[in-house]
Amino acid sequence: MIRIRGVPAVVGAGVVLTAAMLVTPATGRRVLFVLVTLCALLPVLGILPRLPRGQRLPWVLLGVALGLVLANNLTVLIGGDAAVPLADLLVSVGNAHMLAAAVLLVLRRGRSDIGGVLDVTLVSLGAGGLLWTTVLLPRLRDFAVPVDQQIVLLATVLLLFGVLGAMTRLWLADGRAPVLKYFAAAVAGLLAADIAMITATGATASQAAAWYDAIYVPSYVFLGLAVLDPSASSLARPGHAPQDTLSTGRLLFLGGALGLAPCVAGIREIAGLQGDGVLLALQSLLVVPLVMLRIGWLGRQRERAERRLRHQATHDLLTGLPNRAELWSRLDAALDAERRAGRPGVVLLFCDLNGFKAVNDRLGHLAGDRLLTEVAARIRAGLRAGDTLARYGGDEFVLLCEEPGAQEEAADRLAGHVHDALGVPVTLSGEQVTVSASVGVVLSAGGAGADELIRRADERMYAHKAARSA
């Protein structure tokens, strides 16, 4: 409730300060800028103590960014136009902190959409570079702005474009958190205000017409509203996961967006106009790491997809155990190792559950599935590292073990383990259910193949089951 009551105060202060900007002389507007910054900074400082420690870092970075903007306003208020270069530097450092805060928010809220966020950020940087080389740089040269100040301003523009792209992607992909909308609106307002100021004065901290200064006010109001919105606490939770497919069209669009500004710069050189090496250098410093991250993300996605496909192809969907195909593969490998070693060592147990069909018919297939899952978990829990438990099909399981020189001991160990694992009843639908297993044991003599061993184990299992029924 405290956060909600703060909303009218922030909005009201924003309306009053915007109106005041339009009628206050230039020397007095710096004081108003200090108050505007406080409209966003105070809510950030207010929310920090109420957040868990693990969720504070993005808000701390945002607070530092706003603190640097406040220092920028105080610097110009005290030092006048002579302090503009230092003030611009403070703004750029503040924007860098804001970018870091946005990146952390993206990693938390948008960690399932890293690829989409990187793509939009790259496109945003390309758009920023195009705007810089076609509109802003010519104006800065008209104002004879030194190269070092151009670099600071270029960094400011590119960073804000990157932040805006990332936050807009999050907002469009996950509209359930209004805080994302407020953040995107705040960054868009700051970017528009900076572009207007650079175009009008050649800097972001110089004195300009009143309406230029008034453009900044809504941005800080939106930042304050973002912090005060109840959905701000949800940013620590994963957001919506849109489909991330780098199609041919999307790839061409990314390439065009990134290559547009360098192409314009090259055309300027060909036309005899002064080029823009600063843009190419700085944009490369920002773009290359993002492209590397994107490629790395695609590589990890492909690896995860391949692992999932391999697991699905070699494991049973219900129990998670190796399936029949994987069992045959491991048995073939074990027999090959046995032949190379020159001594028998493979032990195979074919297990079929007794009483499973009755449970399945009486309690239903869902209860039967739960019984199979529980049986698989119990048997797997006590196996040694080299043992394999596979689901052969239906209610049949196969145990594979390699124990050169100790086959009989291994067979007794595994058979006893199966008996013990099934000795405790399983609770299904509020009922205690007990099942046992008929087990066929085969010890390899070093000459039989995988199909022969499985056939013999299956026959002995049926012989065991028949003996139990007799």
Side-chain angles (χ1 to χ4, degrees):
M1 293 301 295
I2 294 176
R3 293 166 63 189
I4 295 175
R5 284 200 299 269
V7 171
V10 172
V11 174
V15 172
V16 171
L17 290 171
T18 301
M21 284 286 184
L22 298 174
V23 298
T24 302
T27 55
R29 290 201 295 271
R30 284 299 163 188
V31 177
L32 296 179
F33 267 121
V34 172
L35 298 177
V36 168
T37 308
L38 290 174
C39 286
L41 180 58
L42 291 178
V44 172
L45 297 178
I47 195 178
L48 283 175
R50 297 195 295 271
L51 291 174
R53 289 185 179 274
Q55 299 180 20
R56 292 180 183 177
L57 184 56
W59 305 103
V60 170
L61 291 172
L62 180 59
V64 172
L66 292 170
L68 290 169
V69 174
L70 179 63
N72 153 68
N73 293 322
L74 292 174
T75 298
V76 177
L77 180 63
I78 297 171
D81 288 341
V84 167
L86 176 59
D88 279 341
L89 179 60
L90 290 173
V91 170
S92 295
V93 177
N95 288 335
H97 281 77
M98 190 179 298
L99 175 64
V103 168
L104 284 177
L105 293 177
V106 167
L107 291 176
R108 291 184 177 186
R109 187 67 181 180
R111 53 179 167 261
S112 52
D113 187 31
I114 296 298
V117 170
L118 286 174
D119 289 349
V120 174
T121 302
L122 288 169
V123 172
S124 300
L125 290 174
L130 180 62
L131 177 69
W132 173 267
T133 195
T134 57
V135 177
L136 299 182
L137 182 60
R139 290 295 293 162
L140 292 177
R141 287 174 176 165
D142 291 341
F143 288 113
V145 176
V147 174
D148 57 343
Q149 293 184 37
Q150 291 183 25
I151 294 175
V152 172
L153 293 173
L154 174 58
T156 299
V157 171
L158 291 181
L159 288 174
L160 283 175
F161 262 100
V163 171
L164 178 60
M167 299 308 300
T168 302
R169 170 67 182 192
L170 281 183
W171 170 39
L172 295 177
D174 184 5
R176 292 174 294 175
V179 62
L180 298 172
K181 175 177 63 179
Y182 292 134
F183 268 125
V187 176
L190 288 174
L191 180 58
D194 279 351
I195 291 172
M197 285 290 290
I198 293 173
T199 304
T201 67
T204 58
S206 297
Q207 297 292 344
W211 74 271
Y212 285 102
D213 289 339
I215 298 176
Y216 283 99
V217 179
S219 301
Y220 292 95
V221 172
F222 280 122
L223 282 177
L225 293 177
V227 178
L228 292 169
D229 191 87
S231 63
S233 60
S234 69
L235 292 181
R237 297 193 294 269
H240 179 63
Q243 187 177 10
D244 180 21
T245 54
L246 195 59
S247 61
T248 302
R250 188 171 176 180
L251 187 61
L252 291 174
F253 179 71
L254 281 171
L258 294 176
L260 193 56
C263 286
V264 172
I267 292 172
R268 290 176 60 88
E269 287 283 358
I270 294 173
L273 302 174
Q274 187 174 355
D276 191 7
V278 173
L279 169 64
L280 297 178
L282 189 55
Q283 194 176 40
S284 297
L285 289 174
L286 294 173
V287 168
V288 171
L290 291 177
V291 171
M292 293 176 65
L293 284 173
R294 185 62 170 118
I295 294 174
W297 178 256
L298 287 173
R300 287 191 295 273
Q301 277 190 314
R302 179 175 179 176
E303 290 175 2
R304 287 194 293 268
E306 289 176 347
R307 284 197 298 269
R308 284 196 300 269
L309 290 174
R310 285 196 298 269
H311 189 272
Q312 291 172 2
T314 59
H315 286 73
D316 175 56
L317 181 62
L318 177 64
T319 63
L321 297 176
N323 58 18
R324 182 183 300 193
E326 178 66 8
L327 169 68
W328 279 71
S329 176
R330 295 187 185 187
L331 180 55
D332 282 333
L335 293 174
D336 287 342
E338 181 185 72
R339 284 189 287 271
R340 289 194 301 270
R343 56 188 304 197
V346 174
V347 178
L348 199 67
L349 278 73
F350 201 109
C351 309
D352 181 84
L353 298 183
N354 300 315
F356 173 77
K357 185 178 184 302
V359 173
N360 204 47
D361 292 342
R362 184 163 51 88
L363 299 180
H365 292 289
L366 185 60
D369 288 345
R370 287 202 299 269
L371 178 59
L372 290 174
T373 303
E374 178 65 21
V375 168
R378 289 185 181 185
I379 298 177
R380 179 171 49 187
L383 297 181
R384 295 180 180 179
D387 299 339
T388 292
L389 172 65
R391 185 184 179 194
Y392 198 73
D395 59 345
E396 297 174 333
F397 297 87
V398 174
L399 277 162
L400 169 64
C401 175
E402 296 179 70
E403 289 284 351
Q407 288 175 292
E408 294 185 0
E409 292 85 348
D412 291 340
R413 170 177 64 83
L414 292 176
H417 171 66
V418 171
H419 179 269
D420 294 341
L422 301 182
V424 180
V426 179
T427 302
L428 296 174
S429 302
E431 180 180 334
Q432 296 290 311
V433 175
T434 301
V435 294
S436 60
S438 297
V439 180
V441 181
V442 171
L443 308 182
S444 171
D451 54 348
E452 175 65 17
L453 284 181
I454 291 179
R455 184 187 62 78
R456 286 164 47 194
D458 187 31
E459 290 176 349
R460 293 186 181 184
M461 180 272 295
Y462 277 111
H464 185 206
K465 186 180 287 289
R468 288 173 57 93
S469 302

